């Protein structure tokens, strides 16, 4: 018998599968299309780490399973190579990103091949390929024409280290100490700048993005993350009259029920109202305060633990509910995020306002019952007090009635706000698709533009796409207002599409998240004759999209997953497709840690799959990774564990190659376990419970080893179960079965194209055992239980206690006598249980 040698059989089968295009569906004629997609990887030059392989293997098993169930599975792969991630790496090693990309690409595809995943190798794509980013630019143009692109001055996130703007989603969120407000890529603290940038109007889709979450089949925690990010809040816009003036300041509040408790008013240092409200005698102090607060970061300003500071403007506004004047303060715990940067201060019911009021001795008037507002703000629910005719109303009802009451006087209206803001897509970097816009000074001066509100700006005509990224030797970021492309003098000079005069190209590139927001639309079209004419060919798209199964990381909930949903909705509205959610099902996998710690480059514990593939083979690594725990929970990678999995695959090898365990007929004692294993593995893969599927196969191999034979057909069935997990080993053994003549006909094709084995329900059903139940040695009942469970005390005890004939004697159970818990439980496996009271 030959030894199990993955080093020989794995490359051999990989070559054959690829040559025979085993995993390449017929894109036009497929009858049962199933689009199985794994999240777009952005590998660095060091290549895939074991965390990537974990995700890909889990997705691959699912795809292989579906293929064997008779679907035409399309499982493409590609590379997200544009963007800050790759560019920062190139900067670090002092190489040109285009050169790094070449190397990365080669290494990446080599590694993927070695993992044995069943990819449609004819359909690969890379985001930096002009054939691809031509269409990324086309999308920008389409959105512009649809009125979904805006150029506006707005507070944007700016990373001083990456020297570029970032979208809100690329700034690490609050919640984890020490990282809030930092750049997602380099962890530098992000600054707020007031700058003119390109935005996609994703906020127009906020309600739809939220509503559809009710029906799409996604992991619940990812839905929750999206809901929070969209952050819908209902409330009211309330106007505060400035004392002795006709001007009114609108504020948004989610708690109009607390308005009687508004004892002061706060504006942000950046607010346009500062100028109007500061009286001459307070000017000096206010200016001094603003100067100091400008030096603070947003994180510093809004941290709940930070001491609140502020300064009085000298002005008052009128509380519209009480009619009393309240002082206006400038305080930097208020941020100029939305609207006017003004809030009403309700110290009794908002902790930050409470801190502020305590420090500056402002009145604290409780208007909602509950808590002790002299000690802390009461942010809970309750009935209204100190609120005139609204006293006694529950707070929610009061909020509505107060809004209505103020609305009658024109001082309030209901309003819905979202945390989601428009997507800032400009980047002052080099390594991305140039934004396909042209600016003409002449047209700007004449007030002419493709859009009225944007004089001077024109989209690049679609026939002239792509706008190729020019090769720049010095591609380093230079800071705001100086994108690297501004140096490409010849490239940026272009004639105006409107007047023909000398104009210039936009020198910014688009956000890398735009590249990945639509890649799955492109995959099926690649290789089609229409690929040059369409971003995604309508007929092919109709056949294959939306994606049937999408597997990826939960950490992309508010980035990629939100953006790709938005882009899909836009495509629908443009009449390009007839669905509006890109993924029928999204499954979030867990994360892999190594030897108990999070993998990170700085800790030096990043596990690269290559060395393990060399040592044990890809099949062993695949099975080991999937055995670490439930797929949605991840697991801890340990060197010791992987050897155990290698021994398991060896055991399988020896059973099949030994020649004694496979015969003409399956032994009766193996029939029942085999069909149970088929049922278990089938159900487990369906639910992506790969670890328990592997455990079931291990158990079966033990039983088979202990005695009995399988028929050739049944031996083949077991290999089919193994095939998604250990595809090379299963294929090799499948073909070795041909030495049995009757088998020859069926094994001409790959095991991965065989139908998934079926179990016989009759053989799965288990015999029932009868257990006698006694209380103090007297027979009180009998229970029936599956025979395997009849040997497990916990299972039997649970069932016996639930039997009303028995329960009435036991304390703590329905109808049981008080004070008589069983002192002892005597258990005879499979026969008897006796509760001794
Ligand atoms: Zn950064
Ligand atoms: Zn012009």
């Amino acid at each position: 018998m030959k030894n199990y040698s993955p080093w020989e059989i794995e490359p051999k089968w990989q070559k054959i599968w690829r040559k025979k295009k085993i995993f390449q569906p017929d894109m036009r004629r497929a009858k049962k299309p199933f689009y199985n997609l794994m999240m777009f990887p952005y590998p660095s030059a060091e290549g895939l780490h074991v965390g990537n392989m974990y995700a890909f293997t889990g997705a691959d098993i699912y795809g292989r399973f579906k293929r064997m169930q008779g679907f035409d599975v399309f499982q493409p792969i590609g590379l997200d190579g544009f963007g800050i991630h790759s560019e920062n790496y190139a900067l670090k090693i002092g190489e040109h990103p285009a050169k790094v990309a070449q190397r990365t690409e080669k290494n990446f595809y080599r590694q993927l091949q070695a993992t044995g995943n069943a990819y449609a190798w004819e359909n690969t794509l890379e985001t930096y390929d002009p054939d691809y980013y031509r269409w990324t630019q086309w999308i920008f143009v389409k959105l512009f024409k649809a009125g979904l692109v805006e150029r506006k001055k707005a507070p944007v996130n700016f990373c001083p280290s990456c020297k570029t703007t970032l979208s809100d989603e690329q700034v690490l969120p609050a919640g984890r100490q020490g990282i809030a407000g930092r750049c997602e890529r380099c962890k530098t603290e992000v600054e707020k700048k007031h700058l003119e940038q390109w935005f996609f109007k994703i906020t127009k889709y906020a309600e739809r993005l939220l509503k559809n979450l009710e029906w799409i089949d996604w992991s619940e925690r990812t839905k929750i993350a999206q809901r929070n990010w969209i952050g819908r809040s209902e409330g009211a816009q309330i106007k505060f009259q400035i004392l002795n003036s006709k001007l009114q300041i609108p504020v948004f509040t989610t708690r109009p029920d607390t308005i009687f408790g508004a004892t002061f008013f706060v504006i942000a240092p950046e607010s346009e109202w500062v100028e109007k409200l500061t009286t001459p005698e307070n000017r000096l102090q206010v200016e001094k305060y603003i100067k100091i607060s400008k030096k603070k970061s947003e994180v510093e300003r809004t941290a709940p633990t930070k001491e609140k500071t502020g300064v009085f403007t000298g002005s008052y506004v009128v509380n519209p509910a009480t009619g009393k004047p309240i002082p206006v303060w400038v305080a930097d715990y208020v941020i100029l995020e939305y609207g006017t940067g003004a809030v009403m201060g309700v110290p009794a019911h908002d902790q930050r306002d409470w801190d502020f009021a305590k420090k500056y001795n402002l009145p604290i008037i409780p208007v909602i019952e509950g808590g002790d507002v002299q000690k802390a703000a009461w942010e809970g629910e309750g009935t209204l007090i100190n609120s005139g005719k609204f006293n006694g109303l529950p707070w929610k009802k009061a909020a509505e009635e107060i809004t209505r009451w103020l609305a009658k006087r024109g001082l309030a209206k209901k309003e819905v706000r979202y945390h989601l803001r428009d997507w800032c897509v400009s980047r002052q970097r080099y390594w991305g698709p140039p934004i396909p816009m042209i600016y003409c000074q002449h047209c700007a001066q004449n007030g002419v533009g493709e859009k009225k509100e944007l004089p001077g700006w024109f989209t690049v005509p679609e026939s002239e796409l792509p706008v190729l990224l020019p090769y720049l030797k010095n591609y380093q970021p230079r800071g705001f207002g100086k994108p690297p492309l501004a140096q490409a003098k010849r490239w940026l000079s272009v004639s105006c599409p409107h007047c023909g005069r000398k104009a210039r190209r936009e020198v910014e590139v688009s956000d890398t998240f735009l590249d990945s927001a639509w890649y799955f639309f492109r995959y099926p079209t690649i290789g089609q004759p229409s690929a040059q004419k369409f971003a995604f060919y309508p007929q092919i798209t109709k056949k294959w999209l939306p994606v049937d199964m999408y597997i990826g990381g939960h950490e992309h909930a508010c980035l990629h997953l939100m953006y790709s949903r938005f882009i899909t909705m836009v495509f629908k509205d443009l009449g390009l497709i007839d669905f509006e959610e890109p993924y029928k099902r999204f499954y979030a996998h867990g994360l892999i840690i190594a030897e108990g710690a999070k993998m990170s480059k700085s800790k030096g514990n990043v596990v690269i799959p290559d060395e393990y593939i060399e040592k044990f083979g890809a099949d062993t690594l695949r099975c080991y990774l999937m055995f670490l725990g439930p797929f949605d929970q991840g697991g801890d990678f340990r060197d010791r564990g992987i050897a155990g999995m290698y021994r398991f695959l060896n055991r399988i090898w020896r059973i099949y190659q030994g020649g004694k365990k496979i015969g003409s007929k399956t032994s009766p004692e193996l029939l029942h376990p085999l069909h149970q294993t088929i049922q278990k593995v089938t159900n487990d893969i369906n639910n992506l419970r790969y670890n328990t599927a592997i455990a079931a196969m291990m158990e079966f191999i033990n039983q088979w080893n202990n005695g009995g034979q399988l028929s050739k057909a049944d031996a083949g069935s077991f290999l089919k179960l193994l095939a998604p997990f250990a595809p090379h080993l299963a294929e090799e053994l499948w073909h070795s079965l041909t030495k049995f003549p009757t088998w020859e006909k069926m094994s001409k094709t790959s095991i991965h194209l065989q139908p998934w084995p079926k179990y016989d329900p009759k053989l799965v059903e288990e015999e029932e055992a009868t257990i006698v139940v006694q209380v103090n040695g007297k027979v009180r009942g009998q229970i029936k239980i599956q025979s395997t469970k009849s040997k497990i005390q916990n299972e039997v005890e649970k069932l016996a206690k639930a039997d009303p004939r028995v329960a009435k004697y036991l304390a703590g159970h329905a109808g049981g006598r008080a004070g008589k818990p069983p002192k002892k439980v005597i258990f005879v496996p499979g026969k008897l249980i006796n509760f001794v009271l």
Side-chain angles (χ1 to χ4, degrees):
M1 179 174 54
K2 258 173 66 179
N3 282 332
Y4 172 46
S5 168
W7 311 276
E8 243 171 79
I9 63 174
E10 292 185 355
K12 178 181 87 182
W13 286 112
Q14 285 159 13
K15 238 186 254 162
I16 294 171
W17 293 335
R18 197 154 173 175
K19 211 172 134 203
K20 299 210 160 167
K21 300 187 182 169
I22 297 279
F23 307 123
Q24 194 71 40
D26 185 331
M27 298 307 287
R28 279 166 182 273
R29 277 178 287 272
K31 288 219 173 61
K32 282 177 83 182
F34 187 94
Y35 194 162
N36 188 52
L37 185 64
M38 39 205 87
M39 223 178 238
F40 211 17
Y42 47 97
S44 65
E46 289 118 341
L48 291 178
H49 61 74
V50 86
N52 303 120
M53 184 167 161
Y54 177 73
F56 292 168
T57 305
D60 184 58
I61 289 169
Y62 196 77
R64 287 175 181 277
F65 172 64
K66 282 284 166 189
R67 186 176 296 103
M68 294 173 79
Q69 284 192 319
F71 289 91
D72 297 287
V73 174
F74 177 51
Q75 188 173 293
I77 193 73
L79 191 164
D80 186 8
F82 254 159
I84 234 177
H85 174 82
S86 314
E87 192 176 341
N88 281 0
Y89 178 77
L91 283 165
K92 201 176 110 196
I93 62 166
E95 218 178 318
H96 196 274
K99 221 169 163 195
V100 178
Q102 261 180 6
R103 215 173 49 236
T104 305
E105 188 180 315
K106 215 173 138 202
N107 185 38
F108 172 68
Y109 288 135
R110 176 196 60 76
Q111 274 186 309
L112 281 182
Q113 162 101 337
T115 61
N117 287 347
Y119 294 123
W121 285 108
E122 315 267 294
N123 294 60
T124 55
L125 70 81
E126 299 82 38
T127 47
Y128 44 69
D129 181 348
D131 266 351
Y132 181 81
Y133 72 72
R134 165 189 178 187
W135 300 109
T136 308
Q137 292 172 333
W138 173 82
I139 290 168
F140 190 102
V141 170
K142 281 278 176 209
L143 262 72
F144 186 90
K145 290 189 193 289
L148 291 169
V149 181
E150 221 178 356
R151 188 172 172 82
K152 63 180 179 190
K153 222 175 178 188
V156 290
N157 311 301
F158 188 81
C159 172
S161 164
C162 295
K163 295 197 174 76
T164 185
T165 50
L166 303 170
S167 66
D168 283 357
E169 290 81 356
Q170 285 161 324
V171 179
L172 294 167
R176 270 158 61 199
Q177 208 90 46
I179 62 152
R182 289 173 185 274
C183 169
E184 180 221 14
R185 278 278 131 247
C186 72
K187 312 288 183 281
T188 305
E189 201 162 302
V190 168
E191 296 168 357
K192 276 276 172 200
K193 289 204 177 197
H194 219 70
L195 302 163
E196 205 175 280
Q197 298 279 286
W198 294 107
F199 289 89
F200 282 177
K201 292 187 189 171
I202 190 171
T203 52
K204 270 186 99 174
Y205 287 75
E207 198 59 39
R208 225 158 128 191
L209 288 165
L210 196 63
K211 272 264 157 66
N212 285 6
L213 289 176
E214 284 165 22
W215 60 266
I216 53 179
D217 181 8
W218 281 29
S219 300
E220 197 51 38
R221 63 181 181 135
T222 309
K223 282 192 187 183
I224 290 168
Q226 288 219 338
R227 265 187 213 116
N228 290 342
W229 186 256
I230 296 167
R232 185 183 198 273
S233 48
E234 263 178 49
Q237 193 201 77
I238 298 177
K239 287 177 181 158
F240 284 71
Q241 183 93 37
I242 298 171
L243 193 65
N244 303 324
S245 154
K246 285 218 168 73
L247 292 176
Q248 290 176 324
I249 310 180
V251 301
F252 174 75
T253 174
T254 56
R255 297 292 306 272
D257 52 310
T258 63
I259 188 154
F260 282 88
T263 55
F264 62 97
F265 196 84
V266 189
I267 51 180
E270 303 85 353
S271 169
E272 52 179 323
W273 292 100
V274 173
E275 186 62 31
K276 292 179 184 125
L277 289 170
T278 306
T279 58
E281 52 276 19
N282 289 283
R283 187 155 305 259
L284 212 67
Q285 271 192 305
V286 169
E287 278 170 3
K288 207 171 123 196
Y289 178 75
I290 290 176
K291 226 183 202 166
I292 297 169
S293 82
K294 261 193 180 149
K295 289 192 189 125
K296 296 187 208 163
S297 73
E298 197 174 302
V299 183
E300 236 179 293
R301 282 168 57 175
T302 53
T305 49
K306 262 271 166 346
E307 197 187 337
K308 308 282 175 291
T309 62
V311 56
F312 180 45
T313 59
S315 292
Y316 292 83
V317 293
V318 179
N319 180 325
T322 62
K324 285 185 192 148
I326 56 175
V328 180
W329 288 66
V330 178
D332 61 13
Y333 74 92
V334 172
I335 299 283
L336 189 73
E337 279 281 317
Y338 309 98
T340 53
V343 300
M344 63 181 200
V346 185
H349 305 293
D350 181 289
Q351 192 56 45
R352 294 186 316 166
D353 295 345
W354 190 90
D355 294 341
F356 190 76
K358 273 280 168 198
K359 179 161 176 191
Y360 294 105
N361 222 2
L362 296 159
I364 300 173
I365 301 173
V367 292
I368 306 281
E369 222 167 16
D372 178 0
V373 301
Q374 290 317 312
K375 290 198 182 116
W378 168 247
E379 294 182 344
E381 347 184 317
T383 29
L384 265 72
I385 49 171
N386 298 328
S387 300
K389 61 174 179 171
F390 301 99
N391 284 345
L393 283 181
W395 66 289
K396 269 224 162 123
K397 193 157 177 15
E400 268 174 42
E401 296 212 351
I402 288 175
T403 307
R404 212 174 303 140
W405 174 62
L406 291 174
K408 271 191 206 143
R409 293 191 279 149
L411 293 173
K413 60 174 183 201
K414 267 192 150 180
E415 200 175 296
V416 173
R417 291 230 176 165
Y418 300 93
H419 169 262
L420 184 73
R421 289 195 306 166
D422 281 335
W423 175 9
C424 172
V425 292
S426 323
R427 295 292 177 271
Q428 292 72 42
R429 300 283 297 226
Y430 169 68
W431 194 234
I435 289 178
M437 296 297 293
I438 292 168
Y439 182 74
C440 171
Q441 188 82 44
H442 179 78
C443 286
Q445 275 158 3
N446 292 331
V448 179
E450 196 167 321
K451 295 238 179 272
K452 240 209 211 120
E453 62 277 17
L454 271 183
W457 286 103
F458 299 92
T459 54
V460 173
E462 283 180 32
S463 59
E464 287 171 26
L465 297 176
V467 177
L468 287 173
L469 178 68
Y471 183 85
L472 273 191
K473 215 173 153 194
N474 297 312
Y475 65 89
Q476 291 76 5
R478 280 139 203 264
F480 199 77
K482 291 171 281 181
L485 285 178
Q487 311 160 81
K489 293 281 183 260
R490 268 181 55 198
W491 171 85
L492 65 82
S493 169
V494 64
S495 55
C496 169
H498 183 75
C499 71
R501 286 187 172 79
K502 208 180 148 202
R504 68 161 180 84
R505 289 191 188 285
E506 173 57 281
V507 289
E508 293 180 337
V509 298
S510 57
D511 179 14
T512 173
F513 278 95
L514 179 58
D515 301 329
S516 58
W518 75 281
Y519 72 107
F520 49 93
F521 276 95
R522 182 71 179 160
Y523 276 140
T525 293
I526 289 176
Q528 298 295 321
S530 42
Q532 291 300 311
K533 284 196 226 118
F534 293 93
F536 41 95
Y537 185 55
Q539 272 154 285
I540 290 280
T541 306
K542 211 177 164 73
K543 196 177 192 67
W544 291 95
L545 279 111
V547 169
D548 292 281
M549 176 58 142
Y550 197 26
I551 294 180
H554 165 77
E555 69 274 18
H556 293 288
C558 301
L559 290 151
H560 163 64
L561 287 169
M562 191 77 83
Y563 295 143
S564 51
R565 292 183 62 210
F566 161 65
I567 291 289
T568 306
M569 285 176 187
V570 173
F571 286 170
K572 161 116 194 278
D573 291 352
L574 294 177
L576 298 168
I577 51 173
D578 58 6
F579 55 90
E580 65 175 31
E581 284 294 337
Y583 321 113
K584 278 189 204 155
R585 186 171 176 202
F586 170 70
Y587 185 92
H589 61 71
L591 294 177
I592 289 290
I593 55 174
E595 307 284 344
K598 195 177 174 236
M599 271 191 270
S600 81
K601 265 180 216 158
S602 55
K603 280 194 209 120
N605 66 342
V606 176
V607 180
I608 304 294
D610 300 40
E611 49 181 303
Y612 293 94
I613 292 178
E614 268 165 42
K615 207 163 159 196
F616 300 104
D619 282 342
T620 294
L621 183 57
R622 288 168 67 97
C623 291
Y624 174 65
L625 287 171
M626 293 302 110
F627 194 56
L628 285 175
F631 188 47
D632 59 351
Q633 282 167 38
D636 187 2
F637 189 97
R638 286 174 192 269
D639 267 6
R640 261 179 306 150
I642 192 164
M645 189 54 73
Y646 183 64
R647 282 194 299 274
F648 169 58
L649 296 191
N650 262 294
R651 251 196 312 275
I652 297 175
W653 175 266
R654 285 196 305 269
I655 280 197
Y656 278 83
Q657 299 288 30
K660 285 185 191 139
K661 306 295 286 180
I662 299 167
S664 55
K665 230 179 134 229
T666 297
S667 322
E669 71 266 29
L670 284 179
L671 263 180
H672 175 68
L674 176 69
H675 284 259
Q676 262 196 330
T677 307
I678 295 173
Q679 184 193 38
K680 173 104 178 100
V681 173
T682 308
N683 291 343
D684 282 351
I685 300 184
N686 250 327
N687 296 314
L688 293 93
R689 292 281 176 224
Y690 302 140
N691 57 328
T692 49
I694 293 172
M697 289 189 278
M698 287 175 164
E699 205 184 309
F700 179 76
I701 288 293
N702 279 341
Q703 281 167 302
W704 190 5
N705 248 338
N706 288 343
Q709 283 191 334
L710 287 189
S711 70
K712 288 157 223 164
D714 282 343
S717 287
F718 179 82
L719 286 180
K720 289 181 189 175
L721 301 182
L722 182 71
F725 298 88
H728 312 87
L729 174 63
E731 186 83 294
E732 180 74 18
L733 294 176
W734 173 261
H735 284 267
S736 76
L737 283 175
T738 54
K739 66 185 174 196
F740 304 99
T742 50
W743 197 249
E744 199 167 16
K745 237 161 101 189
M746 284 190 70
S747 58
K748 278 196 174 145
T749 45
S750 164
I751 188 170
H752 304 293
L753 302 176
Q754 304 304 314
W756 189 252
K758 287 200 170 64
Y759 57 86
D760 181 345
K762 271 190 244 129
L763 286 171
V764 166
E765 254 175 53
E766 236 185 310
E767 291 162 47
E768 278 189 335
T770 305
I771 306 267
V772 173
V773 187
Q774 296 179 335
V775 177
N776 283 343
K778 280 195 187 120
V779 177
R780 298 294 179 189
Q782 277 187 349
I783 53 166
K784 287 200 181 297
I785 187 168
Q786 286 175 338
S787 70
T788 42
K789 282 190 182 166
S790 75
K791 290 169 189 121
I792 305 164
Q793 180 168 347
N794 271 345
E795 299 281 347
V796 172
E797 206 175 314
K798 217 167 42 193
L799 206 64
K801 280 178 174 170
D803 188 326
R805 288 170 301 179
V806 177
K808 62 180 176 187
Y809 296 99
L810 304 174
H813 288 267
R817 289 182 202 161
K820 288 238 173 163
K823 277 191 214 118
K824 212 164 101 185
V825 179
I826 298 161
F827 179 62
V828 184
K831 293 211 168 84
L832 174 139
I833 190 159
N834 180 13
F835 296 102
V836 183
L837 305 184

